[in-house]
Amino acid sequence: MYKESAMKVTVDFDQCEANGICVGIAPDVFELDDDDNLHVHEAEVTEANRADIETAVAQCPKAALKLS
């Protein structure tokens, strides 16, 4: 039986400047630590977080976030 793989958000850390815009939009998904390193807590896109993740991807000033 074929199961469709879930969509996930990924970060290109070479592009990410840790501006924190994504954290402001989706704090349950993204977090900046004390050293301004971005962490993704919930990479899988669900119906509950889809709108916030799509907005965070669209608003990222460095285009470091991608949906795949």
Short mmCIF file of all heavy atoms in Angstrom, two decimals:
data_model
loop_
_atom_site.label_atom_id
_atom_site.label_comp_id
_atom_site.label_asym_id
_atom_site.label_seq_id
_atom_site.Cartn_x
_atom_site.Cartn_y
_atom_site.Cartn_z
N MET A 1 0.85 -1.18 0.00
CA MET A 1 0.00 0.00 0.00
C MET A 1 0.89 1.24 0.00
O MET A 1 1.84 1.34 0.76
CB MET A 1 -0.90 -0.02 1.24
CG MET A 1 -1.73 1.24 1.37
SD MET A 1 -2.69 1.26 2.88
CE MET A 1 -4.19 0.52 2.30
N TYR A 2 0.58 2.18 -0.88
CA TYR A 2 1.34 3.42 -1.01
C TYR A 2 0.76 4.47 -0.08
O TYR A 2 -0.43 4.71 -0.08
CB TYR A 2 1.29 3.91 -2.46
CG TYR A 2 1.94 5.25 -2.66
CD1 TYR A 2 3.31 5.38 -2.65
CD2 TYR A 2 1.17 6.39 -2.83
CE1 TYR A 2 3.91 6.61 -2.83
CE2 TYR A 2 1.75 7.63 -3.00
CZ TYR A 2 3.12 7.73 -3.00
OH TYR A 2 3.70 8.95 -3.17
N LYS A 3 1.62 5.08 0.70
CA LYS A 3 1.20 6.18 1.57
C LYS A 3 1.93 7.45 1.14
O LYS A 3 3.16 7.44 1.02
CB LYS A 3 1.52 5.84 3.03
CG LYS A 3 1.07 6.93 3.97
CD LYS A 3 1.40 6.58 5.41
CE LYS A 3 0.96 7.70 6.31
NZ LYS A 3 1.38 7.50 7.67
N GLU A 4 1.19 8.49 0.90
CA GLU A 4 1.79 9.77 0.50
C GLU A 4 2.61 10.32 1.66
O GLU A 4 2.18 10.32 2.80
CB GLU A 4 0.68 10.75 0.13
CG GLU A 4 1.21 12.03 -0.44
CD GLU A 4 0.09 12.95 -0.89
OE1 GLU A 4 -0.99 12.47 -1.24
OE2 GLU A 4 0.33 14.17 -0.86
N SER A 5 3.82 10.76 1.35
CA SER A 5 4.67 11.31 2.41
C SER A 5 4.17 12.69 2.80
O SER A 5 3.63 13.43 1.99
CB SER A 5 6.12 11.38 1.95
OG SER A 5 6.25 12.20 0.82
N ALA A 6 4.39 13.03 4.05
CA ALA A 6 3.91 14.30 4.58
C ALA A 6 4.80 15.45 4.11
O ALA A 6 6.00 15.28 3.90
CB ALA A 6 3.91 14.24 6.10
N MET A 7 4.21 16.61 3.95
CA MET A 7 4.95 17.80 3.60
C MET A 7 5.68 18.31 4.85
O MET A 7 5.13 18.26 5.95
CB MET A 7 4.00 18.87 3.06
CG MET A 7 4.71 20.09 2.55
SD MET A 7 3.58 21.29 1.82
CE MET A 7 3.19 20.43 0.31
N LYS A 8 6.90 18.78 4.65
CA LYS A 8 7.69 19.29 5.77
C LYS A 8 8.30 20.63 5.41
O LYS A 8 8.52 20.94 4.25
CB LYS A 8 8.81 18.31 6.12
CG LYS A 8 8.30 17.00 6.65
CD LYS A 8 9.40 16.13 7.13
CE LYS A 8 8.78 14.85 7.67
NZ LYS A 8 9.68 14.10 8.47
N VAL A 9 8.60 21.39 6.45
CA VAL A 9 9.31 22.65 6.26
C VAL A 9 10.79 22.38 6.54
O VAL A 9 11.14 21.67 7.48
CB VAL A 9 8.76 23.77 7.17
CG1 VAL A 9 8.93 23.47 8.64
CG2 VAL A 9 9.39 25.11 6.82
N THR A 10 11.64 22.93 5.68
CA THR A 10 13.08 22.79 5.86
C THR A 10 13.72 24.17 5.87
O THR A 10 13.16 25.14 5.35
CB THR A 10 13.72 21.94 4.74
OG1 THR A 10 13.45 22.55 3.48
CG2 THR A 10 13.18 20.51 4.76
N VAL A 11 14.90 24.25 6.46
CA VAL A 11 15.63 25.51 6.57
C VAL A 11 16.97 25.37 5.88
O VAL A 11 17.71 24.42 6.12
CB VAL A 11 15.87 25.89 8.05
CG1 VAL A 11 16.61 27.21 8.16
CG2 VAL A 11 14.58 25.91 8.83
N ASP A 12 17.29 26.32 5.00
CA ASP A 12 18.62 26.41 4.42
C ASP A 12 19.43 27.29 5.37
O ASP A 12 19.34 28.52 5.34
CB ASP A 12 18.54 27.03 3.02
CG ASP A 12 19.90 27.15 2.36
OD1 ASP A 12 20.94 27.06 3.06
OD2 ASP A 12 19.93 27.36 1.14
N PHE A 13 20.21 26.63 6.22
CA PHE A 13 20.93 27.37 7.26
C PHE A 13 22.04 28.25 6.69
O PHE A 13 22.50 29.17 7.37
CB PHE A 13 21.47 26.41 8.32
CG PHE A 13 20.37 25.83 9.18
CD1 PHE A 13 19.89 24.55 8.95
CD2 PHE A 13 19.79 26.59 10.18
CE1 PHE A 13 18.87 24.03 9.73
CE2 PHE A 13 18.77 26.08 10.96
CZ PHE A 13 18.31 24.80 10.73
N ASP A 14 22.45 28.00 5.45
CA ASP A 14 23.42 28.88 4.80
C ASP A 14 22.78 30.22 4.44
O ASP A 14 23.46 31.24 4.35
CB ASP A 14 24.00 28.24 3.54
CG ASP A 14 24.89 27.05 3.86
OD1 ASP A 14 25.50 27.02 4.96
OD2 ASP A 14 24.98 26.14 3.01
N GLN A 15 21.47 30.23 4.21
CA GLN A 15 20.73 31.44 3.88
C GLN A 15 20.13 32.13 5.10
O GLN A 15 19.96 33.34 5.12
CB GLN A 15 19.60 31.12 2.90
CG GLN A 15 20.07 30.70 1.54
CD GLN A 15 20.77 31.84 0.81
OE1 GLN A 15 20.40 32.99 0.91
NE2 GLN A 15 21.82 31.49 0.08
N CYS A 16 19.78 31.36 6.12
CA CYS A 16 19.07 31.89 7.30
C CYS A 16 19.94 32.89 8.05
O CYS A 16 21.08 32.61 8.39
CB CYS A 16 18.67 30.73 8.21
SG CYS A 16 17.78 31.27 9.70
N GLU A 17 19.36 34.06 8.33
CA GLU A 17 20.03 35.09 9.13
C GLU A 17 19.43 35.21 10.52
O GLU A 17 19.75 36.13 11.25
CB GLU A 17 19.95 36.45 8.43
CG GLU A 17 20.78 36.54 7.18
CD GLU A 17 20.74 37.93 6.56
OE1 GLU A 17 19.80 38.70 6.83
OE2 GLU A 17 21.68 38.23 5.80
N ALA A 18 18.54 34.30 10.87
CA ALA A 18 17.91 34.27 12.19
C ALA A 18 17.23 35.59 12.51
O ALA A 18 17.35 36.12 13.61
CB ALA A 18 18.92 33.88 13.27
N ASN A 19 16.50 36.13 11.53
CA ASN A 19 15.75 37.37 11.75
C ASN A 19 14.58 37.16 12.71
O ASN A 19 14.10 38.10 13.31
CB ASN A 19 15.23 37.91 10.42
CG ASN A 19 16.35 38.42 9.54
OD1 ASN A 19 17.17 39.20 9.99
ND2 ASN A 19 16.39 37.96 8.32
N GLY A 20 14.09 35.94 12.80
CA GLY A 20 13.02 35.61 13.74
C GLY A 20 11.62 35.92 13.25
O GLY A 20 10.67 35.80 14.02
N ILE A 21 11.47 36.30 12.01
CA ILE A 21 10.13 36.57 11.49
C ILE A 21 9.28 35.31 11.57
O ILE A 21 8.12 35.35 11.97
CB ILE A 21 10.21 37.13 10.06
CG1 ILE A 21 10.84 38.52 10.10
CG2 ILE A 21 8.83 37.15 9.40
CD1 ILE A 21 11.18 39.11 8.77
N CYS A 22 9.88 34.17 11.22
CA CYS A 22 9.15 32.90 11.28
C CYS A 22 8.72 32.56 12.70
O CYS A 22 7.64 32.02 12.92
CB CYS A 22 9.99 31.77 10.69
SG CYS A 22 11.60 31.54 11.46
N VAL A 23 9.55 32.92 13.67
CA VAL A 23 9.22 32.66 15.08
C VAL A 23 8.00 33.48 15.49
O VAL A 23 7.12 32.99 16.19
CB VAL A 23 10.42 32.98 15.99
CG1 VAL A 23 10.07 32.78 17.46
CG2 VAL A 23 11.63 32.13 15.61
N GLY A 24 7.94 34.71 15.03
CA GLY A 24 6.80 35.56 15.34
C GLY A 24 5.51 35.07 14.71
O GLY A 24 4.44 35.21 15.28
N ILE A 25 5.63 34.46 13.54
CA ILE A 25 4.45 33.96 12.82
C ILE A 25 4.01 32.60 13.35
O ILE A 25 2.82 32.35 13.52
CB ILE A 25 4.74 33.88 11.31
CG1 ILE A 25 4.96 35.29 10.75
CG2 ILE A 25 3.62 33.16 10.57
CD1 ILE A 25 5.53 35.32 9.35
N ALA A 26 4.97 31.72 13.59
CA ALA A 26 4.67 30.34 13.99
C ALA A 26 5.55 29.90 15.16
O ALA A 26 6.44 29.07 15.02
CB ALA A 26 4.85 29.40 12.81
N PRO A 27 5.31 30.45 16.36
CA PRO A 27 6.17 30.14 17.51
C PRO A 27 6.09 28.68 17.97
O PRO A 27 7.02 28.22 18.65
CB PRO A 27 5.67 31.09 18.59
CG PRO A 27 4.27 31.42 18.19
CD PRO A 27 4.26 31.39 16.69
N ASP A 28 5.05 27.97 17.59
CA ASP A 28 4.98 26.55 17.94
C ASP A 28 5.85 25.70 17.01
O ASP A 28 6.15 24.55 17.33
CB ASP A 28 3.53 26.04 17.86
CG ASP A 28 2.65 26.66 18.93
OD1 ASP A 28 3.19 27.12 19.96
OD2 ASP A 28 1.42 26.69 18.72
N VAL A 29 6.26 26.28 15.90
CA VAL A 29 7.05 25.54 14.91
C VAL A 29 8.52 25.93 14.98
O VAL A 29 9.40 25.08 14.94
CB VAL A 29 6.50 25.80 13.49
CG1 VAL A 29 7.35 25.09 12.44
CG2 VAL A 29 5.05 25.38 13.39
N PHE A 30 8.81 27.23 15.11
CA PHE A 30 10.17 27.75 15.06
C PHE A 30 10.56 28.38 16.40
O PHE A 30 9.72 28.95 17.08
CB PHE A 30 10.30 28.82 13.97
CG PHE A 30 9.88 28.35 12.61
CD1 PHE A 30 8.63 28.67 12.11
CD2 PHE A 30 10.73 27.60 11.83
CE1 PHE A 30 8.23 28.27 10.85
CE2 PHE A 30 10.34 27.18 10.56
CZ PHE A 30 9.09 27.51 10.07
N GLU A 31 11.87 28.32 16.69
CA GLU A 31 12.38 28.96 17.90
C GLU A 31 13.82 29.42 17.65
O GLU A 31 14.59 28.73 16.97
CB GLU A 31 12.38 27.97 19.07
CG GLU A 31 12.94 28.56 20.35
CD GLU A 31 13.03 27.55 21.48
OE1 GLU A 31 12.99 26.35 21.22
OE2 GLU A 31 13.14 27.99 22.62
N LEU A 32 14.16 30.57 18.19
CA LEU A 32 15.54 31.04 18.20
C LEU A 32 16.10 30.81 19.59
O LEU A 32 15.48 31.19 20.59
CB LEU A 32 15.62 32.53 17.86
CG LEU A 32 15.41 32.93 16.42
CD1 LEU A 32 15.43 34.45 16.29
CD2 LEU A 32 16.44 32.31 15.52
N ASP A 33 17.29 30.21 19.67
CA ASP A 33 17.90 30.01 20.98
C ASP A 33 18.68 31.27 21.38
O ASP A 33 18.69 32.27 20.67
CB ASP A 33 18.76 28.74 21.01
CG ASP A 33 19.98 28.79 20.12
OD1 ASP A 33 20.42 29.89 19.72
OD2 ASP A 33 20.53 27.70 19.83
N ASP A 34 19.33 31.21 22.52
CA ASP A 34 20.05 32.38 23.05
C ASP A 34 21.21 32.82 22.15
O ASP A 34 21.67 33.96 22.24
CB ASP A 34 20.57 32.08 24.45
CG ASP A 34 19.45 31.95 25.46
OD1 ASP A 34 18.33 32.46 25.20
OD2 ASP A 34 19.66 31.31 26.51
N ASP A 35 21.69 31.92 21.29
CA ASP A 35 22.77 32.25 20.37
C ASP A 35 22.26 32.60 18.97
O ASP A 35 23.03 32.63 18.00
CB ASP A 35 23.75 31.07 20.27
CG ASP A 35 24.46 30.80 21.58
OD1 ASP A 35 24.82 31.78 22.27
OD2 ASP A 35 24.63 29.62 21.92
N ASP A 36 20.95 32.86 18.87
CA ASP A 36 20.30 33.19 17.59
C ASP A 36 20.42 32.07 16.55
O ASP A 36 20.56 32.34 15.35
CB ASP A 36 20.82 34.50 17.01
CG ASP A 36 20.26 35.71 17.74
OD1 ASP A 36 19.20 35.58 18.37
OD2 ASP A 36 20.89 36.78 17.67
N ASN A 37 20.34 30.84 17.00
CA ASN A 37 20.28 29.69 16.10
C ASN A 37 18.82 29.28 15.97
O ASN A 37 18.12 29.14 16.98
CB ASN A 37 21.10 28.52 16.64
CG ASN A 37 22.57 28.84 16.70
OD1 ASN A 37 23.16 29.28 15.73
ND2 ASN A 37 23.16 28.64 17.86
N LEU A 38 18.37 29.09 14.74
CA LEU A 38 16.98 28.71 14.51
C LEU A 38 16.81 27.21 14.70
O LEU A 38 17.63 26.42 14.23
CB LEU A 38 16.56 29.10 13.09
CG LEU A 38 15.11 28.78 12.73
CD1 LEU A 38 14.15 29.64 13.55
CD2 LEU A 38 14.88 28.98 11.24
N HIS A 39 15.74 26.84 15.39
CA HIS A 39 15.38 25.43 15.58
C HIS A 39 13.96 25.23 15.08
O HIS A 39 13.10 26.10 15.29
CB HIS A 39 15.46 25.04 17.06
CG HIS A 39 16.83 25.20 17.63
ND1 HIS A 39 17.80 24.23 17.50
CD2 HIS A 39 17.41 26.22 18.29
CE1 HIS A 39 18.91 24.65 18.08
NE2 HIS A 39 18.70 25.86 18.56
N VAL A 40 13.73 24.11 14.44
CA VAL A 40 12.40 23.75 13.96
C VAL A 40 11.87 22.66 14.89
O VAL A 40 12.44 21.57 14.95
CB VAL A 40 12.43 23.25 12.51
CG1 VAL A 40 11.03 22.89 12.05
CG2 VAL A 40 13.05 24.30 11.60
N HIS A 41 10.81 22.97 15.62
CA HIS A 41 10.23 22.01 16.57
C HIS A 41 9.25 21.07 15.91
O HIS A 41 9.12 19.92 16.33
CB HIS A 41 9.53 22.74 17.72
CG HIS A 41 10.47 23.42 18.64
ND1 HIS A 41 11.34 22.74 19.46
CD2 HIS A 41 10.72 24.73 18.85
CE1 HIS A 41 12.05 23.59 20.15
NE2 HIS A 41 11.71 24.81 19.79
N GLU A 42 8.54 21.55 14.93
CA GLU A 42 7.49 20.75 14.28
C GLU A 42 7.64 20.91 12.78
O GLU A 42 7.00 21.76 12.17
CB GLU A 42 6.12 21.24 14.76
CG GLU A 42 4.95 20.44 14.25
CD GLU A 42 4.97 19.00 14.72
OE1 GLU A 42 5.25 18.75 15.89
OE2 GLU A 42 4.70 18.12 13.89
N ALA A 43 8.50 20.09 12.16
CA ALA A 43 8.78 20.23 10.74
C ALA A 43 7.63 19.75 9.86
O ALA A 43 7.46 20.24 8.75
CB ALA A 43 10.06 19.46 10.37
N GLU A 44 6.84 18.81 10.36
CA GLU A 44 5.75 18.27 9.56
C GLU A 44 4.60 19.27 9.47
O GLU A 44 4.16 19.84 10.47
CB GLU A 44 5.25 16.97 10.14
CG GLU A 44 4.23 16.29 9.24
CD GLU A 44 3.92 14.88 9.67
OE1 GLU A 44 4.79 14.23 10.26
OE2 GLU A 44 2.80 14.45 9.41
N VAL A 45 4.14 19.50 8.25
CA VAL A 45 3.02 20.41 8.02
C VAL A 45 1.72 19.65 8.29
O VAL A 45 1.49 18.58 7.73
CB VAL A 45 3.05 20.95 6.58
CG1 VAL A 45 1.85 21.85 6.33
CG2 VAL A 45 4.35 21.70 6.32
N THR A 46 0.91 20.21 9.16
CA THR A 46 -0.39 19.62 9.48
C THR A 46 -1.48 20.63 9.12
O THR A 46 -1.19 21.79 8.83
CB THR A 46 -0.49 19.28 10.98
OG1 THR A 46 -0.44 20.51 11.72
CG2 THR A 46 0.64 18.36 11.43
N GLU A 47 -2.71 20.20 9.17
CA GLU A 47 -3.81 21.14 8.92
C GLU A 47 -3.80 22.26 9.97
O GLU A 47 -4.13 23.40 9.66
CB GLU A 47 -5.15 20.41 8.92
CG GLU A 47 -5.36 19.56 7.68
CD GLU A 47 -5.21 20.34 6.38
OE1 GLU A 47 -5.76 21.45 6.26
OE2 GLU A 47 -4.52 19.84 5.48
N ALA A 48 -3.38 21.95 11.18
CA ALA A 48 -3.38 22.94 12.26
C ALA A 48 -2.31 24.02 12.07
O ALA A 48 -2.52 25.15 12.48
CB ALA A 48 -3.18 22.24 13.61
N ASN A 49 -1.16 23.66 11.49
CA ASN A 49 -0.08 24.64 11.37
C ASN A 49 0.19 25.08 9.93
O ASN A 49 1.05 25.92 9.69
CB ASN A 49 1.20 24.12 12.02
CG ASN A 49 1.82 22.93 11.31
OD1 ASN A 49 1.53 22.65 10.15
ND2 ASN A 49 2.69 22.23 12.01
N ARG A 50 -0.53 24.54 8.98
CA ARG A 50 -0.28 24.81 7.56
C ARG A 50 -0.29 26.31 7.23
O ARG A 50 0.64 26.81 6.59
CB ARG A 50 -1.29 24.09 6.68
CG ARG A 50 -1.09 24.39 5.19
CD ARG A 50 -2.10 23.66 4.32
NE ARG A 50 -2.07 22.22 4.51
CZ ARG A 50 -1.20 21.39 3.94
NH1 ARG A 50 -0.29 21.87 3.12
NH2 ARG A 50 -1.25 20.10 4.17
N ALA A 51 -1.30 27.03 7.64
CA ALA A 51 -1.40 28.45 7.29
C ALA A 51 -0.23 29.25 7.86
O ALA A 51 0.36 30.09 7.16
CB ALA A 51 -2.72 29.03 7.77
N ASP A 52 0.14 28.97 9.12
CA ASP A 52 1.26 29.69 9.74
C ASP A 52 2.58 29.37 9.04
O ASP A 52 3.40 30.26 8.80
CB ASP A 52 1.36 29.36 11.22
CG ASP A 52 0.27 30.01 12.05
OD1 ASP A 52 -0.39 30.95 11.56
OD2 ASP A 52 0.06 29.57 13.19
N ILE A 53 2.80 28.09 8.71
CA ILE A 53 4.04 27.71 8.05
C ILE A 53 4.11 28.33 6.66
O ILE A 53 5.15 28.86 6.26
CB ILE A 53 4.21 26.18 8.00
CG1 ILE A 53 4.51 25.65 9.41
CG2 ILE A 53 5.33 25.78 7.04
CD1 ILE A 53 4.61 24.14 9.50
N GLU A 54 3.02 28.28 5.92
CA GLU A 54 3.02 28.89 4.58
C GLU A 54 3.29 30.38 4.65
O GLU A 54 4.02 30.93 3.81
CB GLU A 54 1.71 28.60 3.87
CG GLU A 54 1.59 27.14 3.44
CD GLU A 54 0.25 26.79 2.81
OE1 GLU A 54 -0.70 27.61 2.91
OE2 GLU A 54 0.15 25.70 2.23
N THR A 55 2.74 31.06 5.65
CA THR A 55 3.00 32.49 5.83
C THR A 55 4.47 32.72 6.19
O THR A 55 5.10 33.63 5.65
CB THR A 55 2.08 33.07 6.91
OG1 THR A 55 0.72 32.87 6.51
CG2 THR A 55 2.33 34.56 7.12
N ALA A 56 5.02 31.91 7.09
CA ALA A 56 6.42 32.05 7.48
C ALA A 56 7.35 31.85 6.28
O ALA A 56 8.30 32.61 6.10
CB ALA A 56 6.76 31.06 8.59
N VAL A 57 7.06 30.86 5.46
CA VAL A 57 7.87 30.61 4.26
C VAL A 57 7.80 31.83 3.33
O VAL A 57 8.82 32.30 2.83
CB VAL A 57 7.40 29.33 3.54
CG1 VAL A 57 8.03 29.21 2.16
CG2 VAL A 57 7.71 28.09 4.38
N ALA A 58 6.61 32.35 3.13
CA ALA A 58 6.43 33.49 2.22
C ALA A 58 7.08 34.76 2.76
O ALA A 58 7.56 35.59 1.98
CB ALA A 58 4.94 33.73 1.99
N GLN A 59 7.13 34.92 4.08
CA GLN A 59 7.64 36.16 4.68
C GLN A 59 9.13 36.12 4.98
O GLN A 59 9.71 37.15 5.35
CB GLN A 59 6.88 36.46 5.98
CG GLN A 59 5.41 36.76 5.77
CD GLN A 59 5.18 38.02 4.97
OE1 GLN A 59 5.85 39.02 5.16
NE2 GLN A 59 4.25 37.96 4.03
N CYS A 60 9.77 34.98 4.85
CA CYS A 60 11.21 34.87 5.17
C CYS A 60 12.00 35.80 4.24
O CYS A 60 11.99 35.62 3.02
CB CYS A 60 11.69 33.43 5.00
SG CYS A 60 13.46 33.23 5.38
N PRO A 61 12.71 36.79 4.81
CA PRO A 61 13.41 37.76 3.97
C PRO A 61 14.58 37.17 3.18
O PRO A 61 15.01 37.75 2.18
CB PRO A 61 13.89 38.83 4.97
CG PRO A 61 13.92 38.13 6.27
CD PRO A 61 12.86 37.10 6.24
N LYS A 62 15.11 36.06 3.59
CA LYS A 62 16.23 35.42 2.90
C LYS A 62 15.81 34.19 2.10
O LYS A 62 16.66 33.50 1.55
CB LYS A 62 17.32 35.03 3.91
CG LYS A 62 17.94 36.20 4.64
CD LYS A 62 18.56 37.21 3.70
CE LYS A 62 19.84 36.66 3.11
NZ LYS A 62 20.51 37.59 2.21
N ALA A 63 14.50 33.91 2.07
CA ALA A 63 13.97 32.72 1.36
C ALA A 63 14.68 31.46 1.83
O ALA A 63 15.00 30.57 1.04
CB ALA A 63 14.06 32.89 -0.14
N ALA A 64 14.93 31.38 3.13
CA ALA A 64 15.64 30.23 3.70
C ALA A 64 14.71 29.08 4.06
O ALA A 64 15.18 27.99 4.34
CB ALA A 64 16.41 30.68 4.96
N LEU A 65 13.41 29.34 4.07
CA LEU A 65 12.44 28.29 4.42
C LEU A 65 11.82 27.73 3.15
O LEU A 65 11.48 28.48 2.24
CB LEU A 65 11.34 28.86 5.31
CG LEU A 65 11.80 29.49 6.63
CD1 LEU A 65 10.60 30.10 7.34
CD2 LEU A 65 12.49 28.47 7.50
N LYS A 66 11.66 26.42 3.12
CA LYS A 66 11.07 25.75 1.96
C LYS A 66 10.10 24.68 2.44
O LYS A 66 10.30 24.06 3.49
CB LYS A 66 12.15 25.07 1.12
CG LYS A 66 13.25 25.97 0.63
CD LYS A 66 12.96 26.48 -0.74
CE LYS A 66 14.13 27.23 -1.33
NZ LYS A 66 14.26 28.59 -0.99
N LEU A 67 9.07 24.45 1.65
CA LEU A 67 8.17 23.33 1.87
C LEU A 67 8.54 22.22 0.90
O LEU A 67 8.73 22.48 -0.28
CB LEU A 67 6.71 23.75 1.66
CG LEU A 67 6.14 24.68 2.71
CD1 LEU A 67 4.77 25.14 2.32
CD2 LEU A 67 6.12 23.99 4.06
N SER A 68 8.66 21.02 1.41
CA SER A 68 8.98 19.89 0.54
C SER A 68 8.26 18.64 0.99
O SER A 68 7.73 18.58 2.05
CB SER A 68 10.49 19.64 0.53
OG SER A 68 10.97 19.40 1.84
#
